[in-house]
Amino acid sequence: MKHFISTENITKEQLEKLFELANKIKADPKKYAEALKGKIVATLFFEPSTRTRMSFESAILRLGADLISTENARENASSTKGESLEDTIKVVSGYADTIVMRHFEDDSAKRAGAVSFVPVINAGAGGAEHPTQALLDVFTLRTKKKSLDGLSVAIMGDLKYGRTAHSFIKLLSLYKNITVFGYSVKGLELGEEYITFLKKRGVKYIPVSSFDLLPRDVDAIYQTRIQKERFGFEGLDTTLVDFGKFCIDKSALKSLSKDTLIMHPLPRDGEIDPAVDTDPRCVYFEQAQNGVYTRMALLLTMVNN
Ligand code: CP
């Protein structure tokens, strides 16, 4: 892997190797404390982030690498002076061994990868993809389920702009006999390009119009936040936001199987009631923690490449 731009191009073999490494790191993180000593990783975040940025920075430091970063690149980087993304990346790739970038444009990571002299890791690109989130999501599922083959998952919320859901289902498509249910409201449905992709990979995609129509024994529900910040770009009717919100609360959990995991990339904004956080089926904080190990595994693989 030269760059990590999308979950579309990774092979199952590469993915399983990464998971194996992430498991080893999780079991004994100290063993990797100097694994990237002497290397420099740049983090460039043109959009806000808590988990992705801090877990990447934690991963970089835990591997013994050095970090260069610009806080709030959208305001503090030279793009405010009119510099193109391409020029910024060409320059920064002369300062670091790998670039981790989050950007508000869908094609930003691809554009960065096309001009960078060093590996680029997509830490979230517009409403398109968030591949490292998918790594930690599928890694978490893998630690909870005997096998990923044959799984049924439901993606819920903003399926149009939800980049984490896009990368998640693409990555899951590497496994056999996957069924994906999609629950959203009109205007926020999963895009045709993702449905076509799933079909090509042999994944069954079933859209449903209400939470009650989801099978009660689905293996995992992947709830997402309505991405209000993206609506301005296409003028979507914002009244959909409230209509589109479905909160997973105690009564929703009660209706589900004892084995149905509740996942969320976080941050949440009302779509999961904090009162259910202690239910063992709710694994979103564990997902966030796994972000450190999976990102350490990815960095180790890519920087050493
Ligand atoms: N899940 C996720 O991408 O969170 P942040 O926006 O806080 O990085």
Side-chain angles (χ1 to χ4, degrees):
M1 267 189 299
K2 191 173 172 201
H3 304 292
F4 192 53
I5 306 294
S6 161
T7 46
E8 204 166 304
N9 306 317
I10 190 169
T11 65
K12 191 162 172 204
E13 194 188 2
Q14 286 171 324
L15 182 65
E16 287 295 325
K17 259 192 186 166
L18 273 179
F19 287 163
E20 236 172 77
L21 182 56
N23 267 325
K24 283 185 189 162
I25 293 170
K26 191 172 181 177
D28 187 5
K30 287 207 172 87
K31 194 173 157 194
Y32 298 85
E34 300 205 339
L36 289 185
K37 200 173 162 60
K39 302 287 186 182
I40 296 175
V41 181
T43 58
L44 268 176
F45 277 65
F46 291 86
E47 274 191 340
S49 169
T50 298
R51 277 144 291 273
T52 312
R53 180 173 177 189
M54 298 195 77
S55 63
F56 257 118
E57 295 188 351
S58 172
I60 291 162
L61 298 174
R62 283 168 195 265
L63 289 167
D66 288 307
L67 166 72
I68 53 174
S69 181
T70 167
E71 193 175 355
N72 190 358
R74 199 166 186 172
E75 283 179 16
N76 296 336
S78 285
S79 51
T80 54
K81 302 175 201 166
E83 184 170 64
S84 68
L85 176 65
E86 282 78 1
D87 281 1
T88 302
I89 294 298
K90 279 184 204 167
V91 170
V92 176
S93 67
Y95 302 158
D97 297 292
T98 291
I99 297 173
V100 176
M101 185 185 81
R102 168 171 291 188
H103 198 280
F104 48 91
E105 287 173 349
D106 287 10
D107 63 352
S108 51
K110 202 171 167 189
R111 283 166 50 205
V115 297
S116 179
F117 307 119
V118 298
V120 171
I121 297 177
N122 176 5
E129 279 225 43
H130 191 348
T132 66
Q133 176 69 41
L135 284 183
L136 69 94
D137 294 333
V138 176
F139 179 79
T140 305
L141 255 184
R142 197 172 171 271
T143 63
K144 300 284 174 191
K145 300 287 179 189
K146 279 193 197 101
S147 164
L148 295 184
D149 291 333
L151 278 197
S152 63
V153 302
I155 49 173
M156 271 176 57
D158 187 344
L159 307 185
K160 180 178 171 114
Y161 298 103
R163 60 191 176 195
T164 61
H166 300 158
S167 294
F168 176 60
I169 55 178
K170 280 184 178 179
L171 204 56
L172 267 187
S173 74
L174 288 174
Y175 295 88
K176 289 181 199 143
N177 301 323
I178 300 291
T179 305
V180 176
F181 295 90
Y183 169 41
S184 67
V185 290
K186 204 166 159 42
L188 295 178
E189 299 101 333
L190 189 64
E192 274 307 320
E193 70 269 36
Y194 299 104
I195 296 173
T196 305
F197 179 89
L198 292 181
K199 210 180 261 176
K200 271 191 196 150
R201 286 265 175 106
V203 174
K204 202 190 269 181
Y205 181 67
I206 305 172
V208 299
S209 55
S210 89
F211 180 77
D212 296 332
L213 291 174
L214 290 175
R216 299 296 95 181
D217 61 349
V218 68
D219 289 299
I221 291 181
Y222 190 92
Q223 173 69 305
T224 62
R225 180 178 66 86
I226 305 292
Q227 307 275 304
K228 282 176 273 188
E229 66 272 31
R230 313 240 174 257
F231 289 8
F233 298 129
E234 291 179 31
L236 187 74
D237 180 356
T238 50
T239 55
L240 285 177
V241 174
D242 291 329
F243 180 54
K245 265 190 180 170
F246 178 85
C247 181
I248 296 181
D249 56 13
K250 280 189 174 169
S251 108
L253 264 189
K254 205 171 165 192
S255 73
L256 295 166
S257 150
K258 65 174 181 32
D259 296 320
T260 300
L261 298 177
I262 306 298
M263 305 179 73
H264 194 303
L266 301 177
R268 63 179 157 189
D269 184 19
E271 20 352 280
I272 296 182
D273 184 350
V276 304
D277 288 354
T278 50
D279 189 298
R281 290 171 288 181
C282 295
V283 297
Y284 25 92
F285 290 111
E286 203 172 324
Q287 282 171 258
Q289 179 62 41
N290 282 334
V292 175
Y293 311 118
T294 48
R295 286 172 174 135
M296 281 173 81
L298 182 68
L299 282 167
L300 204 45
T301 305
M302 301 216 46
V303 179
N304 279 339
N305 256 356

